[in-house]
Amino acid sequence: MIAVRMALRIVWASLRFRSHRVVVACVAVTLGASLPAVMVGLQAVQGRFARELETYGPNLLIVPRSGSALDRASLTVLEQAVAGGHLVSYAPFVALAAKAGERDVAVLGTPLGDARARAPWWVVEGAWPEGPSSVVLGANAAANLHLRPRDTLTLRTRHATAPLEVAGLLRTGGSEDDQVLVELDPARRLAGRPDLISFIRARARSSGDLSVVSRALEAATPDAEVRSSLQVAAAEARVLGRLQRLLLLVTAGAIAASALAVFATTAAAALERGREVAVMKALGASERWVAGLFGAEALVIGLIAGTLGFVLGLAMTQAISWQVFGVLTPPSLLALAASVTVALGVVVAASLGPIRRAARLGPAAVFRGE
């Protein structure tokens, strides 16, 4: 216990009397340790983007390469893609023109039971359709046709006539506001083609893999063309990835510079304290005990610099994520662990050489001035 107390007093006195060198080393390591915290924070932003992108709905549009319809084999390919984990979901659509009274209307057929889950931002006034005889009417189309929920809408084409009940009015801010949304079966009867698929919307599991999934689907369905959407959100995700790669390079450089600063500080301390080490060894201190003293000083510097690096990294993460992406990132224990681990690793690795050299100093050689 006495030896431990003495060692702690020596470590504290050394840090206090060499405060200028300790500050320089702490600043250098703090800068290097802050960047891993930034990288971890931006990784959290990237994960948040991935979750938000999932709420934006489909990110792939599959259309016929030639002609007006897709082959039903496309559905088999998509089912295999869902089973293989490449796609989250998909939905077929039937697009056609019909008459409502004397007015031309755009009709869009799709499985309405799943449509609301695929597009959670849709706003419906009234009820959601519960069967093939109900429709959702776009707000603009409803205004043109002077229809409200529970009114009857009769659609007709040269192939069929379908009396349907308006369940609700739809507002999406997109083209759906001008359309009549019906189930697939009524849309196909109106089109006179029981297997018609005009296009398909699908959701890839990761927006970063859109190009890979698109090429794979096009190779499997030669009659189809696959287009990716959500370009703005995907571009933000790409910017985030590039920023992380840049930070990785900067982090490597900063860690190298921090290691040099710690090495220089520790080496200078070992030279300055040569007589002190010689006295301790002359009084019976072992090489391990001397190395432990220098190692304890290095660990204290690493802990202080790691904590300060986390604080600085958190501030940098908030500034980057807010200025570039408009979001704030909550503090992360993983970021703290990354900063402290990097700081301790840099300090220990850079101090090993000087500590070993100091521990091996011989009292006689030092007192003779060698």
Side-chain angles (χ1 to χ4, degrees):
M1 181 63 68
I2 297 177
V4 173
R5 290 180 180 177
M6 181 180 299
L8 291 177
R9 290 180 61 183
I10 294 174
V11 169
W12 169 248
S14 174
L15 293 173
R16 186 177 59 182
F17 289 115
R18 296 188 307 111
S19 58
H20 61 291
R21 294 189 183 276
V22 173
V23 169
V24 171
C26 281
V27 169
V29 178
T30 296
L31 294 176
S34 66
L35 296 178
V38 175
M39 294 183 66
V40 172
L42 292 181
Q43 189 69 33
V45 175
Q46 193 171 26
R48 180 173 177 175
F49 266 114
R51 291 189 296 271
E52 289 184 356
L53 285 175
E54 292 181 359
T55 66
Y56 291 167
N59 52 14
L60 292 174
L61 176 63
I62 305 169
V63 298
R65 192 176 295 276
S66 60
S68 59
L70 289 168
D71 192 280
R72 286 187 64 86
S74 301
L75 297 181
T76 303
V77 172
L78 293 176
E79 289 172 2
Q80 294 172 352
V82 172
H86 303 294
L87 293 181
V88 177
S89 62
Y90 69 91
F93 288 82
V94 172
L96 68 145
K99 286 281 189 179
E102 298 302 320
R103 291 180 177 272
D104 293 326
V105 294
V107 180
L108 188 65
T110 188
L112 293 179
D114 301 328
R116 203 169 190 181
R118 295 193 306 268
W121 66 90
W122 283 6
V123 177
V124 177
E125 177 187 343
W128 193 254
E130 297 182 353
S133 61
S134 300
V135 302
V136 176
L137 195 56
N140 296 338
N144 293 333
L145 297 173
H146 307 290
L147 294 175
R148 300 288 300 168
R150 298 186 179 180
D151 290 346
T152 298
L153 169 66
T154 301
L155 299 175
R156 72 178 190 277
T157 64
R158 62 189 180 90
H159 301 287
T161 299
L164 303 166
E165 181 185 1
V166 178
L169 306 183
L170 177 65
R171 290 181 175 83
T172 69
S175 60
E176 293 85 1
D177 289 358
D178 301 307
Q179 297 172 336
V180 180
L181 272 69
V182 303
E183 288 285 351
L184 278 176
D185 288 342
R188 285 168 172 166
R189 285 199 302 271
L190 289 169
R193 300 176 62 180
D195 296 330
L196 177 62
I197 303 174
S198 301
F199 61 90
I200 299 172
R201 288 175 179 166
R203 171 76 201 175
R205 189 163 298 278
S206 172
S207 294
D209 298 332
L210 284 181
S211 59
V212 177
V213 176
S214 298
R215 288 194 296 270
L217 292 177
E218 284 189 342
T221 54
D223 67 322
E225 179 183 353
V226 182
R227 304 171 183 171
S228 61
S229 55
L230 301 179
Q231 290 89 347
V232 174
E236 288 186 339
R238 287 195 298 272
V239 168
L240 188 59
R242 291 173 182 172
L243 183 59
Q244 285 185 316
R245 288 192 291 273
L246 175 61
L247 281 173
L248 183 61
L249 294 175
V250 175
T251 299
I255 289 176
S258 302
L260 288 175
V262 173
F263 178 84
T265 300
T266 309
L271 290 175
E272 290 176 355
R273 299 170 64 187
R275 288 185 174 276
E276 177 185 339
V277 171
V279 170
M280 287 189 291
K281 297 189 74 173
L283 293 175
S286 65
E287 290 186 3
R288 180 178 298 180
W289 198 81
V290 173
L293 288 179
F294 281 90
E297 295 175 14
L299 289 178
V300 170
I301 293 175
L303 289 173
I304 294 174
T307 305
L308 294 177
F310 166 71
V311 175
L312 178 60
L314 179 61
M316 293 170 63
T317 302
Q318 302 294 359
I320 293 173
S321 59
W322 179 255
Q323 292 295 329
V324 179
F325 305 107
V327 296
L328 292 177
T329 305
S332 168
L333 290 178
L334 183 59
L336 175 60
S339 293
V340 173
T341 300
V342 168
L344 290 176
V346 168
V347 169
V348 170
S351 302
L352 284 178
I355 289 175
R356 186 177 302 169
R357 189 177 300 111
R360 290 177 177 175
L361 285 176
V366 172
F367 291 141
R368 287 198 302 267
E370 296 179 1

